[in-house]
Amino acid sequence: MKTLITPAQVVGLAFRAPDFITADAIPEATILAAEQKFIKPVLGARLYEKLCAGDHPTLLEEYIAPPLAIYVKMLMMPSLAVQVGAAGVVEVTSKNLARAGEERMREALRRLRSDAAALMRRAVEHIEVSAMYPEYDPRENILNHVSTEGGIVMDKDGKCS
């Protein structure tokens, strides 16, 4: 499976040392899911495919990899405290740590989504002012058609979807 970034890059860009997350804990399928959910709809199919083919490495490294890594972390957050094995789905616990409550988890996920979205807007601004990406078509960029305000998805006319 070819992904835009590696699990090691996700760890380096989105996690802190105290998180104790290693590259082998990052499924490539989660990276691919983040690409399909959050990156491709913004960049469009042609620019996304060029990045997959290894074109525009500076764009990938400086502008796309940081939000992609955060999106991967966001997708992983709900499952970081559980493990699947022969005993079924079990929750990881510790005497020194307490599990975050639902509200705290929602806050953390909102923060990750907000940070990643801000970095994606930065990437789009770079792409749109540069003549280096002829594959980019702003009409394909989902951000030019919808926005989310307080968890509500609206089209650019302000109508709820």
Side-chain angles (χ1 to χ4, degrees), residues 31-83:
I31 298 171
L32 190 57
E35 290 176 17
Q36 296 300 308
K37 289 180 176 187
F38 304 108
I39 304 301
K40 187 176 180 181
V42 173
L43 300 182
R46 291 185 325 150
L47 182 53
Y48 174 75
E49 292 304 323
K50 286 289 191 176
L51 288 174
C52 289
D55 294 356
H56 309 303
T58 302
L59 173 64
L60 177 58
E61 182 180 327
E62 294 182 17
Y63 291 93
I64 303 302
L68 176 54
I70 294 171
Y71 282 128
V72 171
K73 180 178 182 177
M74 184 183 78
L75 292 179
M76 290 183 60
M77 286 282 288
S79 63
L80 286 175
V82 297
Q83 293 180 351

Side-chain angles (χ1 to χ4, degrees), residues 80-123:
L80 286 175
V82 297
Q83 293 180 351
V84 179
V89 178
V90 296
E91 187 173 32
V92 180
T93 61
S94 169
K95 288 195 287 186
N96 298 327
L97 302 172
R99 184 171 188 268
E102 290 298 317
E103 182 59 30
R104 183 66 185 113
M105 177 64 87
R106 280 193 296 275
E107 289 173 15
L109 291 172
R110 270 194 302 268
R111 172 64 189 270
L112 289 171
R113 183 180 293 273
S114 174
D115 289 353
L119 291 172
M120 277 306 296
R121 284 191 298 276
R122 174 182 172 262

Side-chain angles (χ1 to χ4, degrees), residues 122-142:
R122 174 182 172 262
V124 169
E125 287 172 6
H126 169 76
I127 291 166
E128 289 182 345
V129 299
S130 175
M132 296 172 30
Y133 313 104
E135 309 87 3
Y136 175 75
D137 183 349
R139 294 172 297 185
E140 290 185 42
N141 182 344
I142 196 166

Side-chain angles (χ1 to χ4, degrees), residues 14-30:
F15 290 92
R16 305 165 303 142
D19 293 332
F20 299 109
I21 301 295
T22 60
D24 60 334
I26 311 290
E28 287 186 353
T30 303

